[in-house]
């Protein structure tokens, strides 16, 4: 079935509004804005010519409402589960945390990239069933950045996000707002994800040959959605726009470019502004990575420009032949990013990324450090110390690795000898280290760990002591053992 392209306007998620104020023990005598995010089932058209698709969403929308936060202005969110009791996607009860004795529908929200206390981080086992709610506290004591929120329930994260439980969480700060970057209605989140959509509009999710164990190791859709629409268009004025690209897909990486050889200027990555703008012909994002880009439509009055994923046009910009002109210019520098010195690290953890295959060579589960989720904690950094994590990828896939709580810098990727590792767990490098590319030189919270490479990152473990997680952000992997707890020990 071929659908007409560019007949639906690009949806812009509504801005979340506080429902009231509430006190919090961390701020005596102060009232914090309180937001309520209710998860519920609803139906919406993903394209003009498709029947309405049943989905789940925060606030009954997909994507959910955009949360706008200001640095050092804390807020509270009540996450309420008003979903049905039965799941509409295939649960694999053989997966740890998704056994038959658990409620089918369980949720817990995580703000990806937020520095929060353990009780508000959305720990995967702290899920709650329909009819229940939880209150989370977000201090927003961090740099301006494009974050996003999504479900994180143990063993069914891949299904809950696929059902629609995701949205943007944007932090602003004075330093960024002083740079004259496009703002207001010229600053838009663009959340990308793909889905398998049937002719009747229903979502379907791939399953294995075993009805008792339907888990599959990847999920690639037949339709790429931009803010929840298929092939949308956006009317723009002949001026600069800031697009906050968020890869919210289960598995797919996006390699985006503009038609007509137009360049994109990347100004930010996962954890905020780069040191300087980087002009790029294409921007590649692995699941959960973000890139803020500025596109200049000046002088393109009346023209159409397409956003492409590899060779396929997925969205169209229609430049009006008149509109507000843009007098701003791109600053040559955006901020100072001090590189963390490897010598300041108190330890270098060597962590393997692996998989267990069945007799037929199909992946059965993915693992970190050869350990299951339920094994005792092995990663226990101490508060306010710096560590290097060297991730040794033993698989044939690239894995986007995400650490909760912290931001980090990418040090290098380096090829290693897989046979030496398999024989005696010896790390033997086979070539020189490859430094990060310019767009990876900012602060990150998700990094692509390439096959056959050791990917090394450095982080200062600031934050509240307690238990957090680190995991692969390919959701099928994360749900099947490729996630481990880490314990932040008090200083």
């Amino acid at each position: 079935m071929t659908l007409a392209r560019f007949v639906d306007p690009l949806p812009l998620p509504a801005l979340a509004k506080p429902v009231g104020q509430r006190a919090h023990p961390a701020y005596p005598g102060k009232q914090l804005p309180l937001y309520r995010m209710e998860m519920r089932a609803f139906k919406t058209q993903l394209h003009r010519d498709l029947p309405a698709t049943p989905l789940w969403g925060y606030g009954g929308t997909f994507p959910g409402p955009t949360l706008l936060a200001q640095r050092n202005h804390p807020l509270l969110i009540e996450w309420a589960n008003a979903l049905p009791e039965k799941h509409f996607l295939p649960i694999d009860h053989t997966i740890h945390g998704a056994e038959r004795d658990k409620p089918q529908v369980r949720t817990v929200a995580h703000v990806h990239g937020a520095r929060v206390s353990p009780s508000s981080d959305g720990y995967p086992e702290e899920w709650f069933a329909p009819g229940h709610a939880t209150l989370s506290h977000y201090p927003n004591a961090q740099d301006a950045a494009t974050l996003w929120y999504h479900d994180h329930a143990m063993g069914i994260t891949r299904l809950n996000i696929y059902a629609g439980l995701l949205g943007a969480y944007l932090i602003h700060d004075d330093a960024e707002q002083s740079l004259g970057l496009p703002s207001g209605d010229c600053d838009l989140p663009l959340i990308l994800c793909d889905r398998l959509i049937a002719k009747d509009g229903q979502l379907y999710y791939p399953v294995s040959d075993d009805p008792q164990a339907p888990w599959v190791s990847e999920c690639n859709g037949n339709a790429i959605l931009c803010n929840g629409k298929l092939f949308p268009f956006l009317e723009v004025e002949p001026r600069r726009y800031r697009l906050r690209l968020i890869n919210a897909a289960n598995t797919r990486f996006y390699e985006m470019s503009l038609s007509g050889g137009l360049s994109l200027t990347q100004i930010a990555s996962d954890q905020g502004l780069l040191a300087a703008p980087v002009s790029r012909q294409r921007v590649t994002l692995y699941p959960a990575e973000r890139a803020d880009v500025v596109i200049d439509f000046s002088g393109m009055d009346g023209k159409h420009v397409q956003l492409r994923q590899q060779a396929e046009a997925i969205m169209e910009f229609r430049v009006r032949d008149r509109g507000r002109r843009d007098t701003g210019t791109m600053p040559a520098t955006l901020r100072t990013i001090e590189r963390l010195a490897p010598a300041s690290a108190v330890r270098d953890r060597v962590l393997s990324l692996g998989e267990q295959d069945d007799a037929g060579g199909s992946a059965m589960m993915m693992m970190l450090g050869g350990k299951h989720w339920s094994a005792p904690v092995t990663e226990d950094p101490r508060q306010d110390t710096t560590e290097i994590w060297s991730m040794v990828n033993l698989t044939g896939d690239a894995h986007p690795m995400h650490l909760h709580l912290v931001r980090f810098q990418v040090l290098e990727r380096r090829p290693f000898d897989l046979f030496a590792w398999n024989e005696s767990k010896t790390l033997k490098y086979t070539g020189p280290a490859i430094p990060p590319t310019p767009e990876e030189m900012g602060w990150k919270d998700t990094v692509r760990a390439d096959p056959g490479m050791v990917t090394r990152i450095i982080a200062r473990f600031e934050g509240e002591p307690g238990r957090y997680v680190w995991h692969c952000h390919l959701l099928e992997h994360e749900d099947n053992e490729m996630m481990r707890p880490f314990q932040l020990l008090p200083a």
Side-chain angles (χ1 to χ4, degrees):
M1 165 174 194
T2 38
L3 291 168
R5 288 172 189 249
F6 318 130
V7 293
D8 290 289
L10 176 77
L12 292 173
L15 294 182
K17 295 199 167 41
V19 292
Q21 293 191 312
R22 195 177 286 185
H24 188 276
Y27 312 90
K30 243 183 103 172
Q31 292 282 315
L32 303 189
L34 170 69
Y35 294 79
R36 182 177 161 85
M37 291 294 224
E38 190 176 84
M39 301 162 237
R40 49 181 191 265
F42 68 103
K43 287 183 175 182
T44 190
Q45 279 185 293
L46 301 178
H47 184 278
R48 180 194 71 185
D49 301 332
L50 282 175
T53 300
L55 295 168
W56 290 355
Y58 296 99
T61 62
F62 164 67
T66 298
L67 277 148
L68 277 187
Q70 191 75 21
R71 183 184 181 132
N72 293 330
H73 287 245
L75 57 86
L76 301 172
I77 303 177
E78 183 184 43
W79 302 99
N81 184 343
L83 293 166
E85 303 277 334
K86 277 197 151 33
H87 217 298
F88 71 102
L89 297 171
I91 295 175
D92 186 331
H93 294 294
T94 67
I95 285 183
H96 180 85
E99 296 81 4
R100 285 187 197 279
D101 63 350
K102 310 262 190 320
Q104 276 198 21
V105 176
R106 301 172 281 115
T107 61
V108 62
H110 166 62
V111 177
H112 182 118
R115 185 184 292 181
V116 296
S117 68
S119 60
S120 293
D121 191 47
Y123 195 72
E125 292 180 333
E126 290 176 4
W127 49 262
F128 48 99
H132 296 265
T134 190
L135 187 70
S136 299
H137 157 230
Y138 300 93
N140 300 314
Q142 57 191 104
D143 294 345
T146 299
L147 311 184
W148 63 298
Y149 62 91
H150 60 76
D151 188 68
H152 217 303
M154 193 80 200
I156 54 169
T157 295
R158 70 196 182 290
L159 306 177
N160 288 351
I161 293 181
Y162 195 81
L165 293 176
L166 58 99
Y169 186 112
L170 313 179
I171 301 182
H172 292 286
D173 67 20
D174 295 343
E176 188 187 70
Q177 281 163 321
S178 71
L179 293 173
L181 297 167
S183 61
D185 58 1
C186 297
D187 174 0
L188 318 169
L190 187 58
I191 302 176
L192 300 160
C193 61
D194 49 278
R195 297 291 182 265
L196 289 159
I197 305 169
K199 287 191 174 71
D200 64 359
Q202 304 271 337
L203 285 192
Y204 62 96
Y205 183 89
V207 291
S208 72
D209 299 335
D210 181 355
Q212 293 309 305
W215 178 82
V216 289
S217 63
E218 54 184 47
C219 170
N220 288 301
N222 59 2
I224 295 170
L225 302 173
C226 303
N227 287 355
K229 277 280 188 221
L230 194 47
F231 305 128
F233 69 88
L234 177 69
E235 282 203 4
V236 294
E237 295 177 284
R239 50 164 300 148
R240 296 179 310 156
Y241 281 74
R242 174 180 184 163
L243 288 183
R244 298 168 181 263
L245 303 170
I246 302 173
N247 182 349
N250 284 40
T251 305
R252 189 184 296 277
F253 70 90
Y254 294 109
E255 199 174 32
M256 287 161 292
S257 61
L258 296 171
S259 59
L262 214 62
S263 67
L264 304 133
T265 303
Q266 185 170 342
I267 55 169
S269 59
D270 305 342
Q271 284 285 319
L273 293 170
L274 300 172
V278 181
S279 179
R280 306 185 65 191
Q281 285 305 115
R282 59 171 43 88
V283 172
T284 301
L285 290 181
Y286 273 72
E289 287 190 304
R290 284 90 69 209
D292 291 21
V293 297
V294 171
I295 303 174
D296 192 351
F297 298 107
S298 306
M300 303 189 66
D301 311 43
K303 292 196 165 70
H304 290 186
V305 176
Q306 285 155 8
L307 177 69
R308 292 181 176 152
Q309 147 62 358
Q310 292 173 341
E312 183 189 17
I314 58 171
M315 176 183 161
E316 182 169 82
F317 299 98
R318 295 181 183 165
V319 189
R320 294 182 188 143
D321 49 14
R322 63 182 71 83
R324 295 164 296 172
R325 295 291 164 186
D326 180 10
T327 51
T329 52
M330 179 66 74
T333 59
L334 299 166
R335 68 160 161 177
T336 305
I337 294 180
E338 279 187 41
R339 297 296 291 171
L340 296 177
S344 68
V346 297
R347 66 181 295 179
D348 183 339
R349 294 180 191 270
V350 178
L351 302 156
S352 67
L353 318 180
E355 64 180 47
Q356 278 188 355
D357 295 345
D358 63 16
S362 300
M364 277 180 36
M365 67 177 59
M366 320 303 295
M367 296 178 92
L368 298 174
K371 292 186 171 62
H372 291 277
W373 163 260
S374 53
V377 171
T378 43
E379 285 68 59
D380 55 354
R382 203 163 277 289
Q383 188 184 24
D384 298 329
T385 65
T386 300
E387 293 195 355
I388 291 170
W389 286 23
S390 297
M391 295 184 269
V392 184
N393 189 348
L394 312 175
T395 76
D397 297 320
H399 299 277
M401 300 304 301
H402 171 47
L403 276 66
H404 284 218
L405 178 68
V406 295
R407 59 181 189 174
F408 55 73
Q409 291 173 359
V410 183
L411 290 174
E412 62 184 35
R413 294 181 181 87
R414 196 166 181 186
F416 71 100
D417 184 333
L418 186 59
F419 297 102
W421 177 273
N422 287 340
E423 208 162 274
S424 60
K425 299 282 185 285
T426 311
L427 199 47
K428 193 173 138 195
Y429 291 115
T430 56
I434 302 160
T437 50
E439 70 275 6
E440 285 190 311
M441 289 291 283
W443 289 102
K444 299 270 291 160
D445 57 40
T446 306
V447 64
R448 187 190 80 247
D450 288 331
M453 293 279 188
V454 178
T455 300
R456 302 181 74 226
I457 61 171
I458 185 167
R460 188 170 163 81
F461 283 83
E462 299 168 328
E464 189 179 308
R467 189 157 293 192
Y468 301 90
V469 297
W470 66 287
H471 58 87
C472 174
H473 223 289
L474 299 177
L475 302 181
E476 285 65 33
H477 295 184
E478 170 187 336
D479 267 349
N480 199 355
E481 300 291 347
M482 204 166 187
M483 175 166 66
R484 288 277 294 149
F486 76 84
Q487 187 79 23
L488 184 64
L489 303 174

